[in-house]
Amino acid sequence: MINDIVSSSEERLNKSIDALKREFGSLRAGRATPSLLDKVMVDYYGTPTPVNQVAKVSVPEARMIMIQPWEKTMLHEIEKAIMKSELGLSPNSDGTAIRLSIPQLTQERRKELVKTVSKKAEEAKVAIRNIRRDANEHIKKLEKDKEITEDESKKGQEKFQKIVDGFIKTVDTLKEAKEKEIMEV
């Protein structure tokens, strides 16, 4: 029973880490990556759709993203969506493709991004702690209902705490790596 709780909670923990990686991937760190556009939604015949589902997104150079819409009519919609996004990038269209030049980050902007990274990491830790709380409540309920002994409950909680500690360490490692990437000149 405890193992079921631990494994289902571990799944949720993994999802938290995956979400954090996606968040970090969408933060601009001075070099071009297709994941920068993951949160940019385009109006595709009345439906908000991610850019990568209406166009080919590639990185021909370290500081450039090339967007080639599959339908020429989408060119203007993609440009509008990029302008509205929080990326702070100006699309440059030649009628068939859009080029996004990624400017060098200023020191001030780097510091802002580091704060954002810290905030996202802290949110991930809070999510992990909430999962731990839910798992511990589950285990305590099993003990209260006399389905497991007090010792089994304690061992289960300790085992899960070690797993949680590992996930917190992973968040810290991801945060440090992203901060280092942002602060590179």
Side-chain angles (χ1 to χ4, degrees):
M1 279 185 227
I2 290 177
N3 288 337
D4 293 342
I5 295 168
V6 169
S7 64
S8 71
S9 296
E10 256 188 298
E11 254 179 64
R12 290 175 59 203
L13 290 169
N14 280 318
K15 286 179 184 173
S16 294
I17 295 294
D18 291 343
L20 181 65
K21 286 178 181 175
R22 280 193 305 277
E23 286 285 338
F24 283 176
S26 68
L27 288 176
R28 183 162 66 95
R31 61 175 87 96
T33 65
S35 62
L36 281 177
L37 300 173
D38 283 355
K39 291 185 176 179
V40 178
M41 295 295 193
V42 178
D43 182 32
Y44 185 66
Y45 299 106
T47 307
T49 310
V51 170
N52 62 4
Q53 291 184 16
V54 296
K56 176 185 172 208
V57 179
S58 59
V59 181
E61 299 170 26
R63 295 199 178 280
M64 182 172 296
I65 298 175
M66 180 96 126
I67 305 162
Q68 295 170 300
W70 291 312
E71 296 176 30
K72 221 174 183 175
T73 57
M74 291 305 298
L75 202 65
H76 182 67
E77 288 297 326
I78 293 171
E79 279 183 287
K80 256 188 355 192
I82 291 168
M83 295 293 264
K84 273 196 245 173
S85 74
E86 296 174 3
L87 290 174
L89 299 174
S90 301
N92 185 356
S93 172
D94 63 8
T96 58
I98 298 170
R99 286 178 181 72
L100 292 176
S101 293
I102 311 295
Q104 192 78 310
L105 292 173
T106 64
Q107 200 59 30
E108 189 178 307
R109 180 72 178 133
R110 288 177 198 273
K111 288 177 182 169
E112 282 176 33
L113 285 172
V114 166
K115 284 180 187 171
T116 303
V117 165
S118 294
K119 185 176 155 228
K120 301 281 183 203
E122 192 52 44
E123 288 169 3
K125 287 180 182 180
V126 168
I128 288 170
R129 289 185 201 114
N130 288 339
I131 294 167
R132 177 189 59 199
R133 185 196 63 230
D134 294 347
N136 284 344
E137 285 173 0
H138 240 80
I139 292 170
K140 286 175 186 171
K141 186 180 183 314
L142 289 176
E143 179 189 344
K144 186 179 164 203
D145 295 345
K146 305 274 189 242
E147 292 182 44
I148 60 171
T149 65
E150 187 178 334
D151 286 347
E152 288 173 319
S153 171
K154 286 253 187 288
K155 281 181 187 169
Q157 289 178 48
E158 287 169 8
K159 177 184 175 184
F160 193 66
Q161 182 59 49
K162 285 179 183 164
I163 292 168
V164 166
D165 290 343
F167 277 90
I168 296 282
K169 194 173 268 182
T170 301
V171 168
D172 288 335
T173 304
L174 290 170
K175 175 184 166 230
E176 287 169 20
K178 190 64 179 181
E179 285 176 349
K180 186 178 175 208
E181 180 187 334
I182 289 169
M183 293 312 284
E184 280 178 359
V185 180

